């Protein structure tokens, strides 16, 4: 890492270090903001001492980031339009990163201070959308092209449906437990168990499930939310020092050959489907320009992009052999080809088999652009893990006592945590970011309704208000900051 950065100008190096510090600070805040939800039930039910719960949660968050991959990371990155990703320069990159991070950190700290279980996922996504929209206005491009709306819609559906699913599944799970074991001690609250039995801790099996499910929530939280920090750091690195990080310089010869082969197969795919795609891609027709325009990825320039990429990769066995400008060019071509292939996959006329082939080709095309160095993953894991161990008390109190009108039973804690772990784990499989906060809080609310404990209207309204306001607030804040920043650097 340090060898790569040794040749940078002093101001670029300082900007890079500051930007990385901002990202890691965001992940640190994310740790004590969101992960309080992971340990809320296990602490409230006295299944584990608070200090041990947060230490173990931090460890499992750390492991979750290390083992979680980068699928969610690039789902976040690709909220930005491909034109912004391929044409970012150092000044623009700084403005983009500091604007969205400042907006996200400000909202996260504010909601944490008031003990509101707000979503870091919503916060980050709103900030990215704000930067994308502001960039569209500044660059005088259509707002429809300012954000990857299809990706935004997919993520939005995930963020909306996951709390609803958490509410319903946790409620049904609790009802199932009440039907299966109606007189079990699991239906006691910590207070009632202490009064009746004089015991502080839950029954053994309930305690075991509470602990295991809490650690599972911590692990999947790390593998989902930690990837958002990884995506942000890659935005920082690509935006500020693109020549060093636009491509994975550790790619093997086989990986580079696979990228080249995918480009060849993509060309063959388009030729094979010329009757369907000929007009959309202008296959076999001459164009006025030789290569894609600077700020656009035009489907009608696909053949020229493929030819230019193959020429750049000819006889290349190591990306380090390419100069910085050529690496940036290669990444630009790869992202444009992937963006066009994604649009082609949604056109009518292609068979399901052909669409499946196209999706496989897209994965091979982006294999050496969608990556993260190990030091990035490790740094995010460390920041999130340490953040888990501080600042958790405010949100734990809200989740444990202020959602329902009565205290949480052991069964409710188990139902909410098992639901959250499964929901977030499923989201990881499909590379979708979800909110640990909203999934767990809605799960607790669902168990309160199923248990006929009632809900505290004030707390529910506050959580819902934060849920509704997070996106518009962070969009506006990030957009305003980005506009100001571009005035400064531009």
């Amino acid at each position: 890492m340090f060898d790569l950065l040794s040749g940078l100008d002093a101001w670029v190096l300082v900007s890079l270090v500051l930007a990385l510090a901002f990202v890691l600070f965001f992940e640190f805040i994310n740790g004590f903001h969101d992960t309080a939800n992971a340990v809320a039930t296990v602490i409230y039910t006295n299944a584990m001492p608070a200090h041990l719960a947060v230490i173990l949660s931090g460890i499992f968050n750390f492991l979750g980031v290390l083992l979680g991959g980068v699928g969610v990371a690039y789902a976040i990155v690709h909220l930005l339009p491909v034109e912004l990703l391929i044409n970012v320069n150092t000044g623009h990159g700084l403005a983009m990163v500091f604007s969205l991070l400042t907006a996200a950190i400000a909202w996260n700290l504010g909601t944490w201070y008031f003990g509101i279980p707000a979503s870091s996922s919503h916060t980050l996504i709103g900030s990215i959308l704000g930067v994308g929209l502001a960039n569209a206005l500044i660059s005088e491009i259509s707002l429809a092209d300012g954000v990857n709306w299809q990706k935004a819609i997919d993520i939005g559906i995930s963020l909306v449906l996951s709390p609803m699913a958490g509410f319903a599944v946790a409620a049904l799970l609790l009802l199932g437990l009440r039907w299966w074991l109606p007189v079990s001690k699991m239906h006691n609250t910590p207070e009632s168990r202490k009064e009746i039995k004089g015991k502080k801790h839950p029954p053994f099996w309930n305690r075991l499930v509470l602990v295991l499910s809490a650690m599972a929530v911590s692990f999947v939280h790390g593998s989902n939310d930690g990837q958002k920090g990884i995506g942000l750091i890659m935005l920082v690195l690509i935006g500020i020092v693109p020549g060093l990080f636009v491509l994975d310089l550790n790619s093997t010869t086989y990986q580079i050959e696979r990228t080249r082969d995918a480009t060849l197969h993509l060309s063959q795919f388009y030729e094979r489907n010329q009757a369907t795609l000929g007009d959309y891609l202008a296959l076999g027709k001459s164009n006025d320009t030789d290569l894609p325009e600077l700020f656009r990825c035009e489907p009608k320039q696909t053949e020229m992009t493929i030819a230019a990429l193959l020429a750049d990769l000819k006889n290349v066995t190591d990306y380090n052999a390419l100069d910085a400008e050529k690496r940036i060019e290669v990444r630009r071509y790869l992202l444009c080809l992937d963006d066009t292939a994604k649009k082609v996959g949604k056109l009518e006329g292609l068979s399901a088999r052909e669409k499946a082939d196209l999706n496989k080709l897209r994965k091979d095309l982006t294999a050496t652009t969608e990556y993260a160095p190990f030091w990035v993953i490790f740094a995010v894991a460390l920041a999130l893990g340490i953040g888990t161990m501080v600042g958790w008390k405010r949100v734990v109190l809200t989740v444990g006592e202020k959602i329902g009108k009565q205290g949480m039973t052991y069964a409710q804690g188990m139902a909410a945590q098992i639901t959250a772990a499964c929901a977030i784990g499923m989201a990881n499989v499909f590379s979708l970011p979800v909110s640990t906060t909203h999934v767990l809080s809605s799960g607790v609310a669902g168990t309160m309704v199923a248990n006929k404990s009632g809900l505290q209207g004030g707390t529910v309204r506050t959580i819902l208000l934060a849920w509704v306001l997070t996106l518009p607030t962070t969009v506006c804040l990030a957009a305003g900051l980005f506009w100001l920043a571009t005035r400064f650097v531009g």
Side-chain angles (χ1 to χ4, degrees), residues 18-142:
L18 189 58
L20 293 178
F22 259 62
V23 177
L24 295 177
F25 183 55
F26 171 80
E27 278 303 311
F28 177 81
I29 295 171
N30 189 10
F32 70 69
H33 188 284
D34 275 17
T35 312
N37 297 283
V39 297
T41 55
V42 79
I43 292 174
Y44 179 75
T45 57
N46 294 318
M48 291 184 76
H51 67 279
L52 181 58
V54 295
I55 290 173
L56 285 177
S57 182
I59 292 171
F60 276 90
N61 267 277
F62 178 85
L63 294 174
V65 180
L66 286 185
L67 302 175
V70 295
V72 175
Y74 281 93
I76 292 290
V77 169
H78 288 303
L79 276 173
L80 294 169
V82 67
E83 286 76 21
L84 185 56
L85 293 175
I86 63 175
N87 295 302
V88 71
N89 55 48
T90 299
H92 215 60
L94 284 171
M96 174 179 66
V97 168
F98 283 119
S99 299
L100 67 89
L101 282 175
T102 301
I105 288 171
W107 184 255
N108 263 1
L109 280 177
T111 51
W112 165 81
Y113 180 79
F114 291 104
I116 301 171
S119 167
S120 295
S121 300
H122 280 70
T123 302
L124 180 57
I125 289 166
S127 299
I128 291 176
L129 292 178
V131 166
L133 293 173
N135 179 73
L137 294 173
I138 293 169
S139 305
E140 297 182 352
I141 63 176
S142 168

